[in-house]
Amino acid sequence: MIAKPSRTARAPRRASPPANSHGIGQGGRAAHDSRWTALAQLLEELRDAGRRSIRIIDADCGAGCLLIHAAHHARAFGFTAVEGRGIDGVPQLVGRARAAAARLANPGVGLRFEMADLLVALDQEAEFPADIALWRGKPAGLEEARVVEALHRAARRVITDRSVDAETYA
């Protein structure tokens, strides 16, 4: 007996599993972020240079997807300690980021998400600069030049949507 073709349309198959709420895993939102490739390459470079711990700042972190993904990727890469600080001005997004980070307990990963003025928070980081700063490259009511300058004081490497600044600061 020959089966009749179904009249019901099938949903297209996904190339990878769906993302969960925090963007971790294959197909996660973080892996599709334009900064992800540069970030993954930089993590690999730092690991190959013998680094075992890392500190990452995500300025304008939103719901924290990229920072959480980066922290867990760094642990899987062999970093024994990963510290991340997400900064955003929207309380609802900071709350989502905190909730996602709390669900992903990992003894070698310390993540904190806070609502703060971006320039003030980056100035706080300048005393002991992070290894990497992430930024979407869209200043919310701020002069872009001021934000970029503050990012370079706050971290040795800066990754934005537009480019990767590989300049290293002593």
Side-chain angles (χ1 to χ4, degrees):
M1 179 184 251
I2 299 174
K4 291 183 182 178
S6 171
R7 292 186 183 182
T8 329
R10 284 182 139 177
R13 290 181 49 170
R14 291 180 184 253
S16 57
N20 53 27
S21 63
H22 43 76
I24 302 277
Q26 217 176 6
R29 289 179 299 234
H32 296 290
D33 187 297
S34 62
R35 300 166 290 172
W36 175 249
T37 302
L39 177 56
Q41 289 173 347
L42 186 51
L43 289 171
E44 187 173 354
E45 287 174 23
L46 291 170
R47 182 206 54 200
D48 291 348
R51 293 290 305 276
R52 294 295 168 244
S53 64
I54 190 161
R55 198 159 69 87
I56 305 169
I57 301 167
D58 190 351
D60 193 26
C61 67
C65 295
L66 184 60
L67 182 57
I68 292 168
H69 188 70
H72 288 277
H73 186 75
R75 280 289 285 158
F77 246 22
F79 287 92
T80 57
V82 181
E83 180 185 338
R85 180 182 184 193
I87 305 160
D88 203 284
V90 180
Q92 296 85 351
L93 293 175
V94 171
R96 286 179 57 195
R98 287 175 179 162
R103 288 190 301 271
L104 300 168
N106 185 322
V109 175
L111 296 173
R112 65 184 173 147
F113 292 93
E114 56 195 57
M115 196 175 93
D117 176 271
L118 182 59
L119 292 175
V120 170
L122 291 174
D123 283 344
Q124 293 168 350
E125 293 290 339
E127 189 173 346
F128 299 104
D131 298 294
I132 301 170
L134 306 169
W135 184 50
R136 293 183 196 286
K138 299 170 187 147
L142 300 171
E143 275 185 50
E144 184 172 355
R146 288 182 65 203
V147 175
V148 170
E149 183 180 310
L151 284 163
H152 286 285
R153 286 192 312 269
R156 292 177 180 89
R157 306 271 182 105
V158 175
I159 300 174
T160 70
D161 273 344
R162 298 182 197 142
S163 66
V164 177
D165 179 359
E167 189 171 344
T168 302
Y169 294 87

